[in-house]
Amino acid sequence: MDTPNAPNPEAAAPPAPATDVNRRLGALLERIARGDQSAFAEFYGLTSRRVFGMARRVLIDPELSEDTTQEVFLQVWQNASKFNPEAGSPLAWLMTISHRRAVDKVRSSQSSTDREAKYGASSQEIDHDSVSDEVGSRLEAEAVVRCLATLTATQQESVRLAYYGGLTYREVAEKLNAAIPTIKSRIRDGLIRLKSCLGVS
């Protein structure tokens, strides 16, 4: 499949009326349900930019958005036969799938971040001779986990790799396929938000 943000001749054409688009998409879905690959390619060409746009608004990160877009179209290929025209238009059905998939990606990323944060906090050496220190450490760890949830997905991932993964700026940039200044900015902004949430001056 082409990436959804690649130049697309369809995008340059004047937009067709919504009813015409949905009629065409409905016909394509019927063919896709029968395993028609050319219909799937046409469906993808007509709708990939909208799906990518929806994912990008939810996820912000372009790479995660592209991954999500591919997952959405895999779901379309596998479940085209489940589309019910009486329940709504093809475009509404597709955008519902797109939104749910993007939200699931956010939740998955958040869940992973929370697990790693909790593990990182619980694996710290605790002075068992001091009950107050142990309680304080646990409360602090819970606060960090709670405040991590206030960061954007890209900030969370960058901070997690740098501070829980122990990676350098360069290593984080290579892992996320982003420029070093971008990674520095994400981490700096993420830490500022964390400090503000934690009430650290």
Side-chain angles (χ1 to χ4, degrees):
M1 295 181 193
D2 296 329
T3 54
N5 49 348
N8 182 350
E10 293 279 357
T19 51
D20 292 348
V21 171
N22 277 310
R23 192 176 300 119
R24 187 173 178 187
L25 294 178
L28 290 172
L29 281 172
E30 289 179 9
R31 290 167 55 195
I32 293 169
R34 297 193 296 269
D36 188 326
Q37 293 183 7
S38 64
F40 179 74
E42 186 178 349
F43 187 92
Y44 181 89
L46 287 170
T47 59
S48 60
R49 284 180 180 274
R50 295 190 193 210
V51 172
F52 178 76
M54 167 68 79
R56 187 71 189 269
R57 283 194 296 276
V58 175
L59 295 165
I60 301 171
D61 186 281
E63 289 183 17
L64 280 177
S65 300
E66 288 185 10
D67 289 345
T68 301
T69 298
Q70 301 305 323
E71 291 171 8
V72 167
F73 283 100
L74 177 61
Q75 189 171 342
V76 168
W77 175 255
Q78 294 172 336
N79 298 308
S81 61
K82 295 182 180 178
F83 168 66
N84 177 9
E86 294 180 3
S89 71
L91 201 52
W93 177 74
L94 177 65
M95 299 315 288
T96 298
I97 292 174
S98 304
H99 185 262
R100 285 178 181 165
R101 181 67 68 168
V103 170
D104 285 346
K105 185 77 76 175
V106 170
R107 288 175 178 160
S108 174
S109 175
Q110 181 60 53
S111 177
S112 175
T113 299
D114 289 351
R115 280 197 304 272
E116 293 193 24
K118 286 175 182 175
Y119 173 77
S122 65
S123 64
Q124 299 298 316
E125 185 175 345
I126 297 173
D127 180 5
H128 293 284
D129 294 330
S130 173
V131 174
S132 62
D133 283 353
E134 182 175 350
V135 171
S137 295
R138 288 183 178 175
L139 290 174
E140 185 178 319
E142 290 173 5
V144 170
V145 170
R146 186 181 68 252
C147 288
L148 273 171
T150 68
L151 306 186
T152 66
T154 54
Q155 287 172 342
Q156 285 179 30
E157 192 169 22
S158 299
V159 169
R160 178 168 52 83
L161 289 171
Y163 290 91
Y164 290 103
L167 303 185
T168 64
Y169 284 130
R170 181 176 298 279
E171 289 169 335
V172 174
E174 289 173 356
K175 190 170 185 66
L176 298 182
N177 195 25
I180 292 176
T182 300
I183 293 302
K184 286 184 177 180
S185 176
R186 285 181 190 172
I187 292 174
R188 184 187 67 246
D189 293 345
L191 291 178
I192 288 171
R193 290 180 68 171
L194 273 178
K195 285 181 179 180
S196 175
C197 178
L198 291 167
V200 177
S201 57

